[in-house]
Amino acid sequence: MDFFAHFKIWVLILCLIFQSGNGFYLPGSYPHKHGIGDTLSVKVNSITSIETEMPFSYYSLPFCKPLEGVKDSAENLGEVLMGDRIENSPYTFKMYTNVSDIFLCQTGPLSGENFKLLKKRIDEMYQVNLILDNLPAIRYAKKDSYFLRWTGYPVGIKIQDAYYVFNHLKFTVLVHKYEEANVARVMGTGDAAEVIPTIASEGSELPGYMVVGFEVVPCSVMHDAKSVKNLKPYEKYPSPVKCDPTTVAMPIKENEPIVFTYEVKFEESDIKWPSRWDAYLKMEGSKVHWFSILNSLMVITFLAGIVLVIFLRTVRRDLTRYEELDKEAQAQMNEELSGWKLVVGDVFRAPTNAGLLCVMVGDGVQLLGMAIVTVLFAALGFMSPASRGTLIIGMILFYMILGISAGYVAVRLWRTIGRGDKKGWISVSWKVACFFPGIAFFILTTLNFLLWGSHSTGAIPFSLFAVLIFMWFCISVPLTLVGGFFGAKAPHIEYPVRTNQIPREIPAQKYPSWLLVFGAGTLPFGTLFIELFFIMSSIWMGRVYYVFGFLLIVFILLVVVCAEVSLVLTYMHLCVEDWKWWWKSFFASGSVAIYIFLYSVNYLIFELKSLSGPTSEALYLGYSILMALAIMFAMGSVGFLSSFWFVHYLFSSVKLD
């Protein structure tokens, strides 16, 4: 009865939590009502390219600047870490007011340095990223009867030996009539709010509109620099500007100025606020994407199920046969033991570098927990593409909080290996708190020096480095020590059998056991490699990744397969009298990281063919190594803990002297 009473209470609490979620907006996700004639300000983000993967400030190029000066928009920690630099721009609109042939500015004569830089950015295919009401500018291009979607527009284009700049922008702003609402529900993208119309209140007769789309068409137009000498910004250009995206006419030349103009058209759209991100989240070839992933999941699940069933039947039959014997038969059988029963006196012998194993398992548990919680929250819509940087912030926050689990697991495992000895638990906790973060800090610092040398906005400022180190030592480290304290207080796990003083000699194997261990990572990799392509594309090709619900399923399946693979390999090693299973169980599932890194190299060679320069390649490989190490720690901890549970259960089930 107590159980059901507690169950009802928890159900009630969960219902209240989910119901309360229907009554608030996520920060930045609520609709903005704009009256006719209200000013709409366009913001600019860092210019980006898939050729170099290094973002740069928009105003690093000779573009028009706002009359009031360049000002940084409020940025969160995640945006800075991602290289975003959102600033104001000179482009301003009036809600539902169409204008054309608007003169923006005329730059000064291009210096030799700016001329070379502009040509370099055009060669490197840099894109300009504009933002209106939190929506990135989207560009459509037609190719072979298909419409391609791009965010942003190119700085310019090179044709033969001439460089042309896109100096006229044709904007289309899609708007939807604002509706009063009394309920707002957070939808799957996190940006969406499901609006339920109600009777309009007094004083709201004036129509209002919401921005639901932001499109841009870049053009290269030949302007007469002499005719705009006396023009002020936002005045009418002397002659009509014809924007034809299929032709280019404005070549850049040294010591000559560039004239920038724009036009804007407002269109009322049927797109509602909850659906305004759909254009960015559409994925070409979605049917093939879903079918291939579902097929892969079914095959992997079927194979893993067969392995698990055969494995359980074999072990259970072995145990049943032994338990059915009487004591005399068991004694006689003990003299004729074979396989895993022969290593009963060595199976729990402390492994080499036991402290390092405890530290890596503790860090792996922390990373695994961070990944699961982050993907879960993203799948629920709390970390959407509309909220820039929230995914990175969530990962850092969850990682620091879960330091308590890392300290607990590492210290308790340390005490179990030491047969209950508490000595050294503080040292283990410190190593857990500093081992993986230290590796990540070293890699990121090295890459950051490369970005600093390139003057990229992707470089983390020194002040932010200080903040991250402060958070590390003031939040993560203390929580890890607290977890270690509880791990030292918790009872250690008792071994079911005694360990002999003299270690048993391991028979010579036909094939190196480590070859099988590293080959075991192919099965977990099979559950992940299709989804990995889309993850890599979103990171390196500038696409938006949003199928976090499916990623959560794939991730859970990956964890299950890693556990199964490690169990099977541990049993196979014990059957050939190899009692050194500790590290092998860790790397049996952790070896999936090797294949992920090899896939990253393959992606670099065949998908990112245009990635130019040693700095860009060093950045790519550095981040790939960091990702592979994190996956190795997380999946290795899954394999080790599942194998430890299995070995403990196996030898607890049979009484062997």
Side-chain angles (χ1 to χ4, degrees):
M1 294 299 293
D2 291 340
F3 170 77
F4 287 105
H6 285 94
F7 179 75
K8 291 178 181 178
I9 292 172
W10 279 109
V11 170
L12 178 61
I13 292 172
L14 288 173
C15 290
L16 289 173
I17 291 173
F18 282 112
Q19 185 62 30
S20 66
N22 293 335
F24 67 88
Y25 291 107
L26 292 176
S29 67
Y30 53 87
H32 296 279
K33 178 182 177 181
H34 302 282
I36 295 178
D38 287 354
T39 301
L40 299 177
S41 298
V42 177
K43 297 180 180 180
V44 292
N45 202 346
S46 301
I47 60 173
T48 55
S49 171
I50 61 174
E51 297 276 328
T52 66
E53 301 297 346
M54 289 188 292
F56 291 95
S57 170
Y58 173 83
Y59 294 108
S60 64
L61 294 179
F63 290 140
C64 300
K65 295 184 178 180
L67 297 177
E68 66 274 17
V70 178
K71 298 177 182 177
D72 291 334
S73 296
E75 294 172 327
N76 58 45
L77 177 65
E79 286 179 304
V80 177
L81 291 175
M82 291 173 63
D84 289 342
R85 295 294 184 273
I86 300 176
E87 299 164 311
N88 60 334
S89 82
Y91 296 102
T92 57
F93 312 147
K94 299 291 184 182
M95 172 57 79
Y96 228 121
T97 305
N98 296 340
V99 293
S100 60
D101 310 329
I102 299 299
F103 168 71
L104 191 62
C105 82
Q106 176 179 278
T107 67
L110 284 180
S111 64
E113 183 180 351
N114 280 336
F115 177 66
K116 291 179 181 178
L117 182 62
L118 198 54
K119 289 199 300 180
K120 183 180 180 183
R121 296 292 180 255
I122 293 174
D123 281 333
E124 293 170 339
M125 298 178 63
Y126 268 85
Q127 302 276 324
V128 177
N129 299 295
L130 305 177
I131 302 171
L132 177 65
D133 196 27
N134 203 34
L135 279 180
I138 195 170
R139 175 171 57 95
Y140 293 93
K142 190 173 182 180
K143 184 178 180 181
D144 300 331
S145 72
Y146 288 100
F147 278 100
L148 303 177
R149 305 173 185 85
W150 305 87
T151 54
Y153 67 91
V155 172
I157 189 172
K158 180 183 178 182
I159 298 179
Q160 295 178 349
D161 294 330
Y163 290 84
Y164 298 85
V165 68
F166 291 113
N167 61 333
H168 179 84
L169 300 181
K170 181 180 180 180
F171 295 107
T172 302
V173 181
L174 305 180
V175 296
H176 188 81
K177 191 168 289 185
Y178 183 85
E179 297 168 320
E180 296 291 338
N182 61 355
V183 176
R185 292 191 178 95
V186 178
M187 304 294 286
T189 64
D191 176 80
E194 182 182 349
V195 178
I196 299 179
T198 59
I199 300 174
S201 58
E202 295 184 5
S204 61
E205 292 83 5
L206 293 176
Y209 293 91
M210 301 175 292
V211 176
V212 295
F214 184 36
E215 301 173 6
V216 63
V217 176
C219 296
S220 178
V221 179
M222 176 60 75
H223 290 308
D224 184 5
K226 295 180 181 179
S227 64
V228 298
K229 278 186 177 180
N230 298 322
L231 280 182
K232 294 181 179 179
Y234 309 115
E235 290 185 348
K236 197 85 170 177
Y237 189 76
S239 58
V241 179
K242 295 182 179 180
C243 180
D244 184 2
T246 61
T247 61
V248 290
M250 183 61 200
I252 58 172
K253 297 179 181 179
E254 193 172 352
N255 297 321
E256 290 191 9
I258 303 175
V259 177
F260 288 89
T261 56
Y262 73 96
E263 61 184 282
V264 59
K265 180 177 66 173
F266 287 83
E267 292 182 359
E268 195 160 345
S269 171
D270 294 332
I271 300 172
K272 294 185 178 181
W273 179 270
S275 305
R276 70 178 198 152
W277 272 87
D278 287 359
Y280 305 88
L281 303 182
K282 286 179 181 177
M283 189 177 298
E284 299 297 333
S286 58
K287 292 183 179 180
V288 177
H289 169 79
W290 288 106
F291 176 77
S292 58
I293 292 182
L294 182 60
N295 180 64
S296 176
L297 287 174
M298 292 177 64
V299 171
I300 294 299
T301 305
F302 179 70
L303 291 175
I306 291 177
V307 170
L308 187 61
V309 168
I310 294 175
F311 173 60
L312 289 178
R313 286 187 63 185
T314 303
V315 176
R316 182 170 294 180
R317 185 175 64 246
D318 217 353
L319 291 175
T320 304
R321 263 179 51 199
Y322 185 83
E323 290 172 355
E324 287 176 352
L325 300 175
D326 55 25
K327 291 183 179 180
E328 292 184 5
Q330 286 183 12
Q332 183 180 357
M333 185 178 179
N334 286 343
E335 298 177 359
E336 302 173 357
L337 289 178
S338 61
W340 57 268
K341 307 176 200 69
L342 290 173
V343 297
V344 62
D346 299 277
V347 70
F348 290 107
R349 188 178 301 281
T352 55
N353 300 315
L356 179 61
L357 178 63
C358 296
V359 169
M360 292 177 71
V361 170
D363 279 331
V365 168
Q366 187 177 7
L367 289 164
L368 179 68
M370 176 204 71
I372 292 176
V373 176
T374 302
V375 175
L376 177 61
F377 271 80
L380 293 174
F382 288 92
M383 300 173 185
S384 72
S387 304
R388 293 178 182 83
T390 54
L391 193 66
I392 301 293
I393 292 175
M395 292 174 65
I396 294 174
L397 179 64
F398 295 139
Y399 180 81
M400 290 190 299
I401 293 174
L402 288 168
I404 194 167
S405 64
Y408 178 84
V409 171
V411 170
R412 194 171 183 197
L413 179 59
W414 169 257
R415 292 190 61 232
T416 297
I417 294 175
R419 309 294 178 118
D421 187 7
K422 295 183 180 180
K423 184 178 179 182
W425 72 267
I426 296 179
S427 175
V428 171
S429 300
W430 269 103
K431 290 175 182 176
V432 171
C434 299
F435 187 63
F436 181 79
I439 295 173
F441 181 79
F442 174 76
I443 294 175
L444 293 178
T445 303
T446 304
L447 298 179
N448 212 51
F449 277 118
L450 295 177
L451 291 169
W452 271 336
S454 303
H455 305 287
S456 169
T457 58
I460 303 173
F462 180 78
S463 57
L464 184 56
F465 251 112
V467 170
L468 291 174
I469 293 173
F470 177 81
M471 293 169 64
W472 177 13
F473 280 101
C474 294
I475 300 177
S476 182
V477 172
L479 286 177
T480 307
L481 291 172
V482 169
F485 173 77
F486 285 115
K489 291 291 184 183
H492 70 282
I493 302 172
E494 295 282 353
Y495 292 151
V497 293
R498 294 194 302 269
T499 301
N500 297 333
Q501 292 184 354
I502 302 175
R504 180 185 180 85
E505 184 178 353
I506 299 174
Q509 306 298 325
K510 190 174 182 180
Y511 301 104
S513 59
W514 285 101
L515 189 64
L516 187 61
V517 167
F518 289 118
T522 54
L523 189 59
F525 179 73
T527 67
L528 187 67
F529 81 98
I530 295 179
E531 194 65 21
L532 189 62
F533 171 80
F534 293 96
I535 295 172
M536 299 287 284
S537 297
S538 67
I539 295 174
W540 300 108
M541 301 291 284
R543 299 172 186 170
V544 179
Y545 186 87
Y546 69 98
V547 285
F548 289 103
F550 193 81
L551 178 62
L552 180 63
I553 297 173
V554 172
F555 192 78
I556 292 174
L557 184 59
L558 174 66
V559 170
V560 172
V561 173
C562 282
E564 292 173 348
V565 165
S566 185
L567 287 177
V568 172
L569 274 168
T570 299
Y571 181 70
M572 291 174 62
H573 283 116
L574 293 178
C575 285
V576 294
E577 303 176 31
D578 185 355
W579 48 267
K580 294 183 178 180
W581 59 272
W582 301 77
W583 280 105
K584 291 171 184 175
S585 65
F586 183 91
F587 286 112
S589 53
S591 61
V592 66
I594 297 175
Y595 299 96
I596 290 175
F597 180 74
L598 293 176
Y599 181 85
S600 301
V601 175
N602 174 79
Y603 190 87
L604 172 64
I605 296 172
F606 295 102
E607 299 294 335
L608 296 178
K609 298 176 183 177
S610 58
L611 195 63
S612 59
T615 302
S616 301
E617 293 171 356
L619 287 172
Y620 177 87
L621 292 175
Y623 288 127
S624 298
I625 290 172
L626 183 59
M627 178 182 69
L629 285 174
I631 292 173
M632 183 191 74
F633 278 53
M635 295 302 108
S637 65
V638 169
F640 173 79
L641 292 175
S642 58
S643 291
F644 184 87
W645 168 83
F646 165 71
V647 172
H648 192 277
Y649 171 78
L650 180 63
F651 286 91
S652 298
S653 303
V654 181
K655 305 300 180 184
L656 291 171
D657 294 330

